[in-house]
Amino acid sequence: MMDSPLSTHLAFTLGPVPISTTVLTTWGIMAALAAAAWAVTRRLTMRPGTAQACLELVVETIQGQIHDTMHTASTLFLPLIGTLFLFILAANWSSMVPGIEPPTAKIETDAALALIVFLSVVGFGIQARGLGGYLRSFAYPNLFLVPMNLLEQFTRTFALVVRLFGNVMSGVFIIAILLSLVGLLVPVPLMALELLTGAVQAYIFAVLAMVFISGAIEEKPSDAAQQQEDTAS
Amino acid sequence: MIEIASIIAAAFAVSFGAIGPALGQGRSVAAALDAIARQPEAANVISRTLFVGLAMIETTAIYCLVVSLLLLFANPFRG
């Protein structure tokens, strides 16, 4: 019988707090990302070397995606979206390291990431429109849709969790099943597919976070449409 | 008995739950390819929207997968 994908393995206990292997892997990825970022940004020059050029490429690509999706030139969202994307990408691809199970294949990690998105949607919404304005946005287009809009907040967060969990976990699971059935080299194409899936899922998580946040901060569609009509006429 | 029923139900959940999303994704990819063929300069916007849409459609299949996993590994009726 295989291990349930919903269970976690205990690595050690830190006093009264049990630490699972998932948390340990997450810490490792966080430390690796932070160390890489620290090491690359120590000597920033106007004439970038190889490492700095690569870093600038990554940052500019993410900023370009934010600009395209949210239609804002603001760099306010770059730290959040960039960190989410890079962390999920690193976590998904960590399954390529032998013996490491990606933290995103456990539902708790995905729930924590989606909770960050949920809270930042509320936070950015209140920051952009004020508490009253944000609450009024739930009553758009009319008051009867308040329960639907409230429900949507939770279902889409839940969908974020389940999407990332299901994709990453099913990839890991299939590779494990194939390994136990046919042996060494057969799962290699599937692992290549897993690289692609991991990148796409990280991208989609970041894009959906952008879409949710821009939906919370933008003007009502009627106002925007009205303005467009005004400028057109 | 409950184990057998759970395994059969899990297999049915995944197999039938994959049909709808597969058809939907096929339609959306076909429409996106059509649009890119007509307007190659809009390929970036179209493919970004396509990816987000595919992720949305795929969620339904993933729900079925999670339901089948719950049946197999965290069955509430197995006592």
Side-chain angles (χ1 to χ4, degrees):
Chain A
M1 196 62 198
M2 305 193 68
D3 283 343
S4 160
L6 297 169
S7 69
T8 51
H9 298 287
L10 193 70
F12 59 89
T13 51
L14 198 71
V17 186
I19 304 292
S20 67
T21 47
T22 314
V23 176
L24 215 56
T25 321
T26 311
W27 286 348
I29 292 169
M30 280 159 60
L33 282 178
W38 184 85
V40 175
T41 51
R42 274 320 87 189
R43 287 189 198 153
L44 293 179
T45 54
M46 285 305 288
R47 293 176 57 83
T50 316
Q52 189 187 340
C54 292
L55 186 74
E56 284 179 2
L57 185 67
V58 170
V59 173
E60 278 174 9
T61 308
I62 296 173
Q63 176 61 34
Q65 289 290 332
I66 292 175
H67 178 74
D68 288 348
T69 311
M70 304 179 73
H71 304 295
T72 167
S74 153
T75 53
L76 179 65
F77 311 106
L78 182 61
L80 175 72
I81 303 295
T83 310
L84 276 177
F85 175 73
L86 288 178
F87 175 75
I88 296 174
L89 187 69
N92 288 350
W93 283 4
S94 68
S95 65
M96 294 300 130
V97 180
I100 289 198
E101 191 179 20
T104 38
K106 297 291 178 194
I107 201 163
E108 294 88 355
T109 315
D110 305 327
L113 290 168
L115 204 61
I116 293 173
V117 173
F118 176 75
L119 291 179
S120 53
V121 164
V122 176
F124 282 126
I126 291 176
Q127 189 191 28
R129 312 169 70 157
L131 186 59
Y134 179 67
L135 289 180
R136 254 199 304 283
S137 74
F138 283 104
Y140 179 82
N142 62 42
L143 207 57
F144 295 108
L145 286 177
V146 169
M148 297 300 287
N149 283 335
L150 276 177
L151 189 66
E152 187 207 358
Q153 295 287 321
F154 294 103
T155 51
R156 71 187 191 186
T157 309
F158 182 69
L160 266 186
V161 178
V162 174
R163 180 180 305 118
L164 188 59
F165 166 69
N167 274 291
V168 181
M169 182 273 307
S170 60
V172 172
F173 212 58
I174 285 172
I175 289 175
I177 290 175
L178 265 188
L179 261 184
S180 67
L181 283 182
V182 290
L184 195 56
L185 286 175
V186 182
V188 169
L190 277 173
M191 290 171 80
L193 182 69
E194 187 63 10
L195 278 177
L196 176 71
T197 316
V200 169
Q201 287 307 316
Y203 175 70
I204 281 170
F205 197 96
V207 167
L208 285 177
M210 285 187 241
V211 170
F212 294 164
I213 291 174
S214 64
I217 64 172
E218 76 186 1
E219 300 289 313
K220 282 175 193 157
S222 63
D223 295 351
Q226 193 68 43
Q227 280 169 4
Q228 277 181 356
E229 282 173 17
D230 290 348
T231 50
S233 58
Chain B
M1 191 60 205
I2 290 177
E3 271 92 350
I4 297 171
S6 304
I7 291 172
I8 293 174
F12 271 112
V14 169
S15 55
F16 286 109
I19 294 175
L23 291 176
Q25 291 198 339
R27 285 180 66 99
S28 56
V29 170
L33 283 180
D34 197 30
I36 291 177
R38 283 168 198 270
Q39 257 185 312
E41 69 274 7
N44 274 331
V45 181
I46 291 172
S47 47
R48 189 174 61 238
T49 320
L50 174 70
F51 272 126
V52 176
L54 284 185
M56 289 292 186
I57 301 168
E58 199 177 63
T59 309
T60 49
I62 298 288
Y63 282 151
C64 297
L65 179 74
V66 169
V67 166
S68 69
L69 280 177
L70 283 180
L71 282 175
L72 288 178
F73 290 109
N75 197 326
F77 305 111
R78 204 153 59 191

